[in-house]
Amino acid sequence: MSIMRPKGSPDLIADRRRRSLSLLDEGFSLHEVARHVGCHASSVMRWRDEYEKRGEESFAVRFSPGRPSRLSEQNFKRFRSLLLKGAVDNGFQTEIWTTKRIVEVIAREWRVEYHPDHIGRLMAKLGWTHQKPAGRVAERNEEAIPGRVSEERHRVKKTPCGWVPISTSSTNPASR
């Protein structure tokens, strides 16, 4: 069972730590306290040790910034301007921005490798949302579509016995 830090305001988290220490003072074991507040015993022990060293300030929840960005603010502004120029101006054949294309632009400009899954976070930081283009190719022949659809419909039409494999074999009753 994996226990993660609970969601909530810093005050709620600090209160949880205080409650843990109060239960320890009442004589409960580390494991009992941990089960009661929903954490690991090692967390309770760490909170107890911190409280002994630093007192009340040990309850303060510190901000966890995560890993620093690999693009500086100046690079990020340039990144935005590159995207606004369009995909064609950045060497692609169409104006569609895909995560793979954005990864390529970042790698080319700053020699920084991002996983395509992370690009969504970068785009959200810019205020851009994921858009899915209509699934039509530029070479689409509108006049040929009605005839092609009727041919395909006849070829794959469902029979009373279920789907029939397409075969030219004379031994297959479906091909007659």
Side-chain angles (χ1 to χ4, degrees):
M1 174 174 86
S2 175
I3 300 174
M4 292 179 48
R5 181 176 178 174
K7 301 283 185 204
S9 70
D11 290 337
L12 287 173
I13 295 170
D15 183 57
R16 179 174 178 240
R17 293 175 182 176
R18 281 187 187 91
R19 215 171 50 242
S20 297
L21 294 181
S22 173
L23 290 170
L24 281 175
D25 288 343
E26 290 176 23
F28 290 96
S29 73
L30 289 173
H31 291 284
E32 290 170 327
V33 172
R35 271 193 302 276
H36 184 73
V37 298
C39 69
H40 288 282
S42 61
S43 296
V44 176
M45 188 170 58
R46 189 176 61 251
W47 299 336
R48 181 198 62 200
D49 294 347
E50 275 296 305
Y51 181 74
E52 289 172 359
K53 285 184 207 167
R54 298 177 38 224
E56 276 295 312
E57 72 180 49
S58 69
F59 293 126
V61 178
R62 293 179 296 277
F63 173 70
S64 178
R67 184 177 183 167
S69 176
R70 291 185 275 168
L71 291 180
S72 68
E73 278 303 312
Q74 184 179 3
N75 290 344
F76 202 73
K77 287 177 185 175
R78 170 123 171 84
F79 170 60
R80 181 186 185 114
S81 67
L82 285 172
L83 293 178
L84 288 171
K85 282 183 181 178
V88 172
D89 283 354
N90 281 281
F92 300 104
Q93 292 183 346
T94 65
E95 280 299 339
I96 297 172
W97 278 115
T98 63
T99 55
K100 287 181 182 178
R101 287 181 174 186
I102 294 170
V103 166
E104 285 180 39
V105 168
I106 293 171
R108 182 178 63 225
E109 290 293 319
W110 296 283
R111 291 184 172 85
V112 172
E113 295 291 326
Y114 275 113
H115 190 277
D117 291 349
H118 184 69
I119 297 301
R121 292 184 198 101
L122 291 178
M123 302 313 289
K125 187 175 173 184
L126 287 173
W128 290 26
T129 59
H130 173 77
Q131 302 290 316
K132 189 171 183 177
R136 296 187 176 186
V137 294
E139 300 84 20
R140 184 175 163 127
N141 182 349
E142 294 292 335
E143 292 93 33
I145 291 174
R148 181 79 175 156
V149 168
S150 65
E151 285 175 25
E152 291 298 309
R153 184 177 296 126
H154 179 70
R155 187 176 70 79
V156 298
K157 184 178 177 189
K158 196 172 183 179
T159 65
C161 297
W163 293 99
V164 178
I166 299 169
S167 170
T168 56
S169 168
S170 61
T171 59
N172 186 340
S175 65
R176 295 184 190 152

Coordinates of all heavy atoms in Angstrom, one line a residue, residues 48-120:
R48 N 8.7 14.0 14.7 CA 9.1 14.1 16.1 C 10.5 14.6 16.3 O 10.8 15.6 17.0 CB 9.0 12.7 16.7 CG 9.4 12.7 18.2 CD 9.7 11.3 18.7 NE 10.9 10.8 18.0 CZ 11.2 9.5 17.9 NH1 10.4 8.6 18.4 NH2 12.3 9.1 17.2
D49 N 11.5 14.1 15.5 CA 12.8 14.6 15.5 C 13.0 16.0 15.1 O 13.7 16.8 15.8 CB 13.7 13.7 14.7 CG 13.8 12.2 15.1 OD1 13.4 12.0 16.3 OD2 14.3 11.4 14.4
E50 N 12.3 16.4 14.1 CA 12.3 17.9 13.7 C 11.8 18.8 14.8 O 12.3 19.8 15.0 CB 11.5 18.1 12.4 CG 12.3 17.8 11.1 CD 13.5 18.7 10.9 OE1 13.3 19.9 10.9 OE2 14.6 18.2 10.8
Y51 N 10.7 18.3 15.4 CA 10.1 19.1 16.5 C 11.1 19.3 17.6 O 11.2 20.4 18.2 CB 8.8 18.5 16.9 CG 8.1 19.3 18.0 CD1 7.5 20.5 17.7 CD2 8.1 18.9 19.4 CE1 6.9 21.3 18.7 CE2 7.6 19.7 20.3 CZ 6.9 20.9 20.0 OH 6.3 21.6 21.0
E52 N 11.8 18.2 17.9 CA 12.8 18.3 19.0 C 13.9 19.3 18.7 O 14.4 19.9 19.6 CB 13.3 16.9 19.3 CG 12.3 16.0 20.0 CD 12.8 14.6 20.2 OE1 13.9 14.3 19.8 OE2 12.0 13.8 20.7
K53 N 14.3 19.4 17.4 CA 15.3 20.3 17.0 C 14.9 21.7 16.8 O 15.5 22.7 17.3 CB 15.9 19.8 15.6 CG 16.8 18.6 15.7 CD 17.4 18.4 14.3 CE 17.7 16.9 14.1 NZ 17.9 16.6 12.7
R54 N 13.7 21.9 16.2 CA 13.3 23.2 15.7 C 12.1 23.8 16.4 O 11.7 24.9 16.1 CB 13.1 23.2 14.2 CG 14.4 22.9 13.5 CD 14.3 22.8 12.0 NE 13.4 23.8 11.4 CZ 12.5 23.5 10.4 NH1 12.4 22.3 10.0 NH2 11.7 24.4 9.9
G55 N 11.4 23.0 17.1 CA 10.2 23.5 17.8 C 9.0 23.7 16.9 O 8.9 23.0 15.9
E56 N 8.2 24.7 17.2 CA 7.0 25.0 16.4 C 7.2 25.2 14.9 O 6.4 24.9 14.1 CB 6.3 26.2 17.0 CG 5.4 25.9 18.2 CD 4.2 25.0 17.8 OE1 3.5 25.3 16.8 OE2 4.0 24.1 18.5
E57 N 8.4 25.8 14.6 CA 8.6 26.1 13.2 C 8.8 24.8 12.3 O 8.7 24.8 11.1 CB 9.8 27.0 13.0 CG 11.2 26.4 13.2 CD 12.3 27.4 13.0 OE1 12.2 28.5 13.6 OE2 13.3 27.0 12.4
S58 N 9.0 23.7 13.0 CA 9.1 22.4 12.2 C 7.7 22.0 11.6 O 7.7 21.2 10.7 CB 9.6 21.3 13.2 OG 8.6 21.0 14.1
F59 N 6.6 22.6 12.1 CA 5.3 22.3 11.5 C 5.0 23.0 10.2 O 4.1 22.6 9.5 CB 4.2 22.6 12.5 CG 4.2 21.8 13.8 CD1 4.3 22.4 15.0 CD2 4.2 20.4 13.7 CE1 4.3 21.6 16.2 CE2 4.3 19.6 14.8 CZ 4.3 20.2 16.1
A60 N 5.8 24.0 9.9 CA 5.5 24.8 8.7 C 5.8 23.9 7.5 O 6.8 23.2 7.4 CB 6.5 26.0 8.6
V61 N 4.8 23.9 6.6 CA 5.0 23.2 5.3 C 5.7 24.0 4.3 O 5.4 25.1 4.0 CB 3.6 22.8 4.8 CG1 3.7 22.0 3.5 CG2 2.8 22.0 5.8
R62 N 6.8 23.4 3.9 CA 7.7 24.2 2.9 C 7.2 23.9 1.5 O 6.8 22.8 1.2 CB 9.1 23.8 3.1 CG 9.7 24.2 4.5 CD 11.1 23.8 4.7 NE 11.3 22.4 4.7 CZ 11.1 21.6 5.8 NH1 10.7 22.1 6.9 NH2 11.4 20.3 5.8
F63 N 7.4 24.9 0.7 CA 7.1 24.8 -0.8 C 8.1 23.9 -1.4 O 9.3 24.0 -1.2 CB 7.2 26.2 -1.4 CG 7.0 26.2 -2.9 CD1 5.8 25.9 -3.4 CD2 8.1 26.5 -3.7 CE1 5.6 25.9 -4.8 CE2 7.9 26.5 -5.1 CZ 6.7 26.2 -5.6
S64 N 7.6 23.0 -2.3 CA 8.5 22.1 -3.0 C 8.4 22.5 -4.5 O 7.4 22.1 -5.2 CB 8.0 20.6 -2.8 OG 8.8 19.8 -3.5
P65 N 9.4 23.2 -5.0 CA 9.3 23.7 -6.4 C 9.5 22.7 -7.5 O 9.1 22.9 -8.6 CB 10.5 24.7 -6.4 CG 11.5 24.2 -5.4 CD 10.6 23.5 -4.3
G66 N 10.0 21.5 -7.1 CA 10.2 20.5 -8.2 C 11.5 20.8 -8.9 O 12.3 21.6 -8.6
R67 N 11.7 20.1 -10.0 CA 12.9 20.2 -10.8 C 12.9 21.6 -11.5 O 11.9 21.9 -12.1 CB 13.0 19.1 -11.8 CG 14.2 19.0 -12.6 CD 14.2 17.9 -13.5 NE 15.5 17.8 -14.2 CZ 15.9 16.8 -14.9 NH1 15.2 15.7 -15.0 NH2 17.1 16.8 -15.5
P68 N 14.0 22.3 -11.5 CA 14.1 23.5 -12.3 C 13.9 23.3 -13.8 O 14.3 22.3 -14.3 CB 15.5 24.1 -12.0 CG 16.2 23.0 -11.2 CD 15.3 21.9 -10.9
S69 N 13.3 24.3 -14.4 CA 13.1 24.3 -15.8 C 14.4 24.2 -16.6 O 15.3 24.9 -16.2 CB 12.2 25.5 -16.3 OG 12.1 25.5 -17.7
R70 N 14.4 23.5 -17.7 CA 15.6 23.5 -18.5 C 15.6 24.6 -19.5 O 16.6 24.8 -20.2 CB 15.7 22.1 -19.2 CG 16.0 21.0 -18.1 CD 16.3 19.7 -18.8 NE 15.0 19.0 -19.0 CZ 14.8 18.0 -19.7 NH1 15.8 17.4 -20.3 NH2 13.6 17.4 -19.9
L71 N 14.6 25.3 -19.6 CA 14.5 26.5 -20.5 C 14.4 27.8 -19.6 O 13.6 27.8 -18.7 CB 13.3 26.5 -21.4 CG 13.3 25.5 -22.5 CD1 12.0 25.6 -23.3 CD2 14.5 25.6 -23.4
S72 N 15.3 28.7 -19.8 CA 15.3 29.9 -19.0 C 14.1 30.7 -19.4 O 13.4 30.5 -20.4 CB 16.6 30.8 -19.2 OG 16.6 31.2 -20.6
E73 N 13.7 31.8 -18.7 CA 12.6 32.6 -19.0 C 12.8 33.3 -20.4 O 11.9 33.4 -21.2 CB 12.4 33.7 -18.0 CG 11.6 33.2 -16.8 CD 10.2 32.7 -17.2 OE1 9.5 33.3 -17.9 OE2 9.9 31.6 -16.7
Q74 N 14.1 33.7 -20.7 CA 14.4 34.3 -22.0 C 14.2 33.3 -23.1 O 13.6 33.6 -24.1 CB 15.8 34.8 -22.0 CG 16.2 35.5 -23.2 CD 17.6 36.1 -23.2 OE1 18.4 35.8 -22.2 NE2 18.1 36.7 -24.2
N75 N 14.7 32.0 -22.9 CA 14.5 31.0 -23.8 C 13.0 30.6 -24.0 O 12.6 30.3 -25.1 CB 15.2 29.7 -23.4 CG 16.7 29.8 -23.5 OD1 17.2 30.7 -24.2 ND2 17.4 28.9 -22.9
F76 N 12.3 30.7 -22.9 CA 10.8 30.4 -23.0 C 10.1 31.4 -23.8 O 9.2 31.1 -24.6 CB 10.3 30.3 -21.6 CG 9.0 29.5 -21.5 CD1 9.0 28.1 -21.6 CD2 7.8 30.1 -21.4 CE1 7.9 27.4 -21.6 CE2 6.6 29.4 -21.3 CZ 6.7 28.0 -21.4
K77 N 10.5 32.7 -23.7 CA 9.9 33.7 -24.6 C 10.2 33.5 -26.0 O 9.4 33.7 -26.9 CB 10.4 35.1 -24.1 CG 9.8 35.6 -22.8 CD 10.4 36.9 -22.4 CE 9.8 37.3 -21.0 NZ 10.4 38.5 -20.5
R78 N 11.5 33.1 -26.3 CA 11.9 32.8 -27.7 C 11.1 31.6 -28.2 O 10.7 31.5 -29.4 CB 13.4 32.6 -27.8 CG 13.8 32.0 -29.1 CD 14.9 32.8 -29.7 NE 15.5 32.2 -30.9 CZ 14.9 32.2 -32.1 NH1 13.8 32.9 -32.3 NH2 15.5 31.5 -33.1
F79 N 10.9 30.6 -27.4 CA 10.1 29.4 -27.7 C 8.7 29.8 -28.1 O 8.2 29.3 -29.2 CB 10.1 28.5 -26.5 CG 9.2 27.3 -26.6 CD1 9.3 26.4 -27.5 CD2 8.2 27.2 -25.6 CE1 8.4 25.3 -27.6 CE2 7.3 26.1 -25.7 CZ 7.4 25.1 -26.7
R80 N 8.1 30.7 -27.4 CA 6.8 31.1 -27.7 C 6.7 31.8 -29.1 O 5.9 31.6 -29.9 CB 6.2 32.1 -26.6 CG 4.9 32.6 -26.9 CD 4.4 33.6 -25.9 NE 3.1 34.0 -26.1 CZ 2.1 33.7 -25.3 NH1 2.3 33.1 -24.1 NH2 0.9 34.1 -25.6
S81 N 7.7 32.7 -29.3 CA 7.7 33.4 -30.6 C 8.0 32.4 -31.8 O 7.4 32.6 -32.9 CB 8.8 34.5 -30.6 OG 10.1 34.0 -30.6
L82 N 8.8 31.4 -31.6 CA 9.0 30.3 -32.6 C 7.7 29.6 -32.9 O 7.4 29.4 -34.1 CB 10.0 29.3 -32.2 CG 11.5 29.8 -32.2 CD1 12.4 28.7 -31.6 CD2 11.9 30.1 -33.6
L83 N 6.9 29.3 -31.9 CA 5.7 28.6 -32.1 C 4.7 29.5 -32.8 O 3.9 29.1 -33.7 CB 5.1 28.1 -30.8 CG 5.9 27.0 -30.1 CD1 5.2 26.6 -28.8 CD2 6.0 25.8 -30.9
L84 N 4.6 30.8 -32.5 CA 3.7 31.7 -33.1 C 4.0 32.0 -34.6 O 3.1 32.3 -35.3 CB 3.7 33.0 -32.3 CG 3.0 33.0 -31.0 CD1 3.2 34.3 -30.2 CD2 1.5 32.7 -31.1
K85 N 5.3 31.8 -35.0 CA 5.7 31.9 -36.4 C 5.0 30.8 -37.2 O 4.8 31.0 -38.4 CB 7.2 31.8 -36.6 CG 7.9 33.1 -36.2 CD 9.4 32.9 -36.5 CE 10.1 34.2 -36.1 NZ 11.6 34.0 -36.3
G86 N 4.8 29.7 -36.6 CA 4.1 28.6 -37.3 C 5.1 27.5 -37.6 O 6.3 27.6 -37.6
A87 N 4.5 26.3 -37.8 CA 5.3 25.1 -38.1 C 6.0 25.2 -39.4 O 7.1 24.7 -39.5 CB 4.4 23.9 -38.0
V88 N 5.4 25.7 -40.4 CA 6.0 25.8 -41.7 C 7.3 26.7 -41.7 O 8.3 26.3 -42.2 CB 5.0 26.4 -42.8 CG1 5.8 26.6 -44.1 CG2 3.9 25.4 -43.0
D89 N 7.2 27.8 -41.0 CA 8.4 28.7 -40.8 C 9.5 28.0 -40.0 O 10.7 28.4 -40.0 CB 8.1 30.0 -40.1 CG 7.4 30.9 -41.1 OD1 7.3 30.6 -42.3 OD2 6.9 32.0 -40.6
N90 N 9.2 26.9 -39.2 CA 10.1 26.2 -38.5 C 10.6 24.9 -39.2 O 11.2 24.0 -38.6 CB 9.5 25.8 -37.1 CG 9.6 27.0 -36.1 OD1 10.6 27.2 -35.6 ND2 8.5 27.7 -36.0
G91 N 10.3 24.8 -40.5 CA 10.8 23.7 -41.3 C 9.9 22.5 -41.5 O 10.4 21.5 -42.0
F92 N 8.7 22.6 -41.2 CA 7.8 21.5 -41.3 C 6.8 21.7 -42.5 O 6.7 22.9 -43.0 CB 6.9 21.3 -40.1 CG 7.8 21.0 -38.9 CD1 8.0 22.0 -37.9 CD2 8.4 19.7 -38.7 CE1 8.9 21.7 -36.8 CE2 9.2 19.5 -37.6 CZ 9.5 20.5 -36.7
Q93 N 6.3 20.7 -43.1 CA 5.5 20.8 -44.3 C 4.1 21.3 -44.1 O 3.5 21.9 -45.0 CB 5.4 19.5 -45.0 CG 6.8 19.0 -45.6 CD 6.7 17.7 -46.4 OE1 5.7 17.0 -46.3 NE2 7.7 17.5 -47.1
T94 N 3.5 21.2 -42.9 CA 2.2 21.7 -42.6 C 2.2 22.5 -41.4 O 3.2 22.6 -40.7 CB 1.2 20.5 -42.4 OG1 1.6 19.8 -41.2 CG2 1.1 19.5 -43.5
E95 N 1.1 23.2 -41.1 CA 1.1 24.1 -40.0 C 0.7 23.5 -38.7 O 0.4 24.1 -37.7 CB 0.1 25.3 -40.3 CG 0.6 26.4 -41.1 CD 1.8 27.1 -40.5 OE1 2.0 27.1 -39.3 OE2 2.6 27.7 -41.3
I96 N 0.5 22.2 -38.7 CA 0.1 21.4 -37.5 C 1.3 21.3 -36.5 O 2.3 20.7 -36.9 CB -0.5 20.1 -37.9 CG1 -1.8 20.3 -38.7 CG2 -0.8 19.3 -36.6 CD1 -2.3 19.0 -39.3
W97 N 1.1 21.7 -35.3 CA 2.1 21.5 -34.3 C 1.8 20.2 -33.6 O 0.7 20.1 -33.0 CB 2.1 22.7 -33.2 CG 2.9 23.9 -33.7 CD1 2.4 25.1 -33.9 CD2 4.3 23.9 -33.9 NE1 3.4 26.0 -34.3 CE2 4.5 25.3 -34.3 CE3 5.3 23.0 -33.9 CZ2 5.8 25.7 -34.6 CZ3 6.6 23.5 -34.2 CH2 6.8 24.8 -34.5
T98 N 2.7 19.3 -33.6 CA 2.5 18.1 -32.8 C 3.6 18.1 -31.7 O 4.5 18.9 -31.7 CB 2.8 16.8 -33.7 OG1 4.1 16.8 -34.1 CG2 1.8 16.8 -34.9
T99 N 3.4 17.2 -30.7 CA 4.4 17.2 -29.6 C 5.7 16.8 -30.1 O 6.7 17.4 -29.7 CB 3.9 16.2 -28.5 OG1 3.7 15.0 -29.0 CG2 2.7 16.7 -27.8
K100 N 5.8 15.9 -31.1 CA 7.1 15.5 -31.6 C 7.8 16.7 -32.3 O 9.0 16.8 -32.2 CB 6.9 14.3 -32.6 CG 6.6 13.0 -31.9 CD 6.5 11.9 -32.9 CE 6.1 10.6 -32.2 NZ 6.0 9.5 -33.1
R101 N 7.0 17.5 -33.1 CA 7.6 18.6 -33.7 C 8.1 19.6 -32.7 O 9.2 20.2 -32.9 CB 6.5 19.3 -34.6 CG 6.3 18.5 -35.9 CD 5.2 19.2 -36.7 NE 5.1 18.5 -38.0 CZ 4.3 18.9 -39.0 NH1 3.7 20.1 -38.9 NH2 4.2 18.3 -40.1
I102 N 7.4 19.8 -31.7 CA 7.8 20.8 -30.6 C 9.1 20.3 -30.0 O 10.0 21.1 -29.7 CB 6.7 21.1 -29.6 CG1 5.5 21.7 -30.3 CG2 7.1 21.9 -28.5 CD1 4.2 21.8 -29.5
V103 N 9.1 19.0 -29.7 CA 10.4 18.4 -29.1 C 11.5 18.7 -30.1 O 12.6 19.0 -29.6 CB 10.2 16.9 -28.9 CG1 11.5 16.2 -28.7 CG2 9.2 16.6 -27.7
E104 N 11.3 18.5 -31.4 CA 12.4 18.8 -32.4 C 12.9 20.2 -32.3 O 14.1 20.5 -32.4 CB 11.9 18.4 -33.8 CG 11.8 16.9 -34.1 CD 11.3 16.7 -35.5 OE1 11.7 17.4 -36.4 OE2 10.5 15.7 -35.6
V105 N 11.9 21.1 -32.3 CA 12.3 22.6 -32.3 C 13.1 22.9 -31.0 O 14.1 23.6 -31.1 CB 11.0 23.5 -32.3 CG1 11.4 24.9 -32.0 CG2 10.4 23.3 -33.7
I106 N 12.7 22.4 -29.9 CA 13.4 22.7 -28.6 C 14.8 22.1 -28.7 O 15.8 22.7 -28.3 CB 12.6 22.1 -27.4 CG1 11.4 23.0 -27.2 CG2 13.5 22.2 -26.1 CD1 10.4 22.4 -26.2
A107 N 14.9 20.8 -29.2 CA 16.2 20.2 -29.3 C 17.1 20.9 -30.3 O 18.3 21.1 -30.0 CB 16.0 18.7 -29.8
R108 N 16.6 21.4 -31.4 CA 17.4 22.1 -32.4 C 17.8 23.5 -31.9 O 19.0 23.8 -32.0 CB 16.5 22.3 -33.7 CG 17.3 23.0 -34.8 CD 16.4 23.1 -36.0 NE 15.2 24.0 -35.8 CZ 14.0 23.7 -36.1 NH1 13.7 22.6 -36.8 NH2 13.0 24.5 -35.8
E109 N 17.0 24.2 -31.2 CA 17.3 25.5 -30.7 C 18.2 25.6 -29.5 O 19.1 26.4 -29.4 CB 16.0 26.3 -30.4 CG 15.2 26.7 -31.6 CD 15.9 27.7 -32.5 OE1 16.6 28.7 -32.0 OE2 15.9 27.5 -33.8
W110 N 17.9 24.7 -28.5 CA 18.6 24.8 -27.2 C 19.3 23.5 -26.8 O 19.9 23.4 -25.7 CB 17.6 25.2 -26.1 CG 17.1 26.5 -26.3 CD1 17.7 27.7 -26.1 CD2 15.8 26.8 -26.9 NE1 16.8 28.7 -26.5 CE2 15.7 28.2 -26.9 CE3 14.7 26.1 -27.3 CZ2 14.5 28.9 -27.4 CZ3 13.6 26.7 -27.8 CH2 13.5 28.1 -27.9
R111 N 19.3 22.5 -27.7 CA 19.9 21.2 -27.4 C 19.4 20.6 -26.0 O 20.2 20.1 -25.2 CB 21.5 21.3 -27.4 CG 22.0 21.5 -28.8 CD 23.5 21.6 -28.7 NE 24.1 21.6 -30.0 CZ 24.3 22.7 -30.7 NH1 24.0 23.9 -30.3 NH2 24.9 22.6 -31.9
V112 N 18.1 20.8 -25.8 CA 17.5 20.3 -24.6 C 16.5 19.2 -25.1 O 15.7 19.4 -26.0 CB 16.8 21.4 -23.9 CG1 15.9 20.8 -22.7 CG2 17.8 22.4 -23.4
E113 N 16.6 18.0 -24.4 CA 15.7 16.9 -24.8 C 14.5 16.9 -23.8 O 14.7 16.8 -22.6 CB 16.4 15.6 -24.7 CG 17.5 15.5 -25.8 CD 16.9 15.4 -27.2 OE1 15.9 14.8 -27.4 OE2 17.6 15.9 -28.1
Y114 N 13.3 17.0 -24.3 CA 12.1 16.8 -23.5 C 11.3 15.6 -24.0 O 11.3 15.3 -25.2 CB 11.1 18.0 -23.7 CG 11.4 19.2 -22.8 CD1 11.9 20.4 -23.3 CD2 11.2 19.1 -21.4 CE1 12.1 21.5 -22.4 CE2 11.5 20.2 -20.6 CZ 11.9 21.4 -21.1 OH 12.1 22.4 -20.3
H115 N 10.7 14.9 -23.1 CA 9.8 13.8 -23.5 C 8.6 14.4 -24.1 O 8.0 15.4 -23.5 CB 9.5 12.9 -22.2 CG 8.9 11.6 -22.6 ND1 7.5 11.6 -22.8 CD2 9.4 10.4 -22.8 CE1 7.2 10.3 -23.1 NE2 8.3 9.6 -23.1
P116 N 8.0 13.8 -25.1 CA 6.8 14.3 -25.7 C 5.6 14.5 -24.7 O 4.8 15.4 -24.9 CB 6.4 13.3 -26.8 CG 7.7 12.7 -27.2 CD 8.5 12.7 -25.9
D117 N 5.6 13.6 -23.7 CA 4.5 13.8 -22.7 C 4.6 15.0 -21.9 O 3.6 15.5 -21.4 CB 4.5 12.6 -21.8 CG 4.1 11.3 -22.4 OD1 3.6 11.3 -23.6 OD2 4.2 10.2 -21.8
H118 N 5.8 15.6 -21.8 CA 6.0 16.8 -21.0 C 5.6 18.1 -21.8 O 5.4 19.1 -21.2 CB 7.5 16.9 -20.5 CG 7.7 18.1 -19.7 ND1 7.2 18.2 -18.4 CD2 8.4 19.2 -19.9 CE1 7.6 19.3 -17.8 NE2 8.3 20.0 -18.7
I119 N 5.5 18.0 -23.1 CA 5.2 19.1 -23.9 C 3.9 19.7 -23.5 O 3.7 20.9 -23.5 CB 5.3 18.8 -25.4 CG1 6.7 18.3 -25.8 CG2 4.8 19.9 -26.3 CD1 7.8 19.4 -25.5
G120 N 2.9 18.9 -23.1 CA 1.6 19.4 -22.7 C 1.7 20.4 -21.6 O 1.0 21.4 -21.5

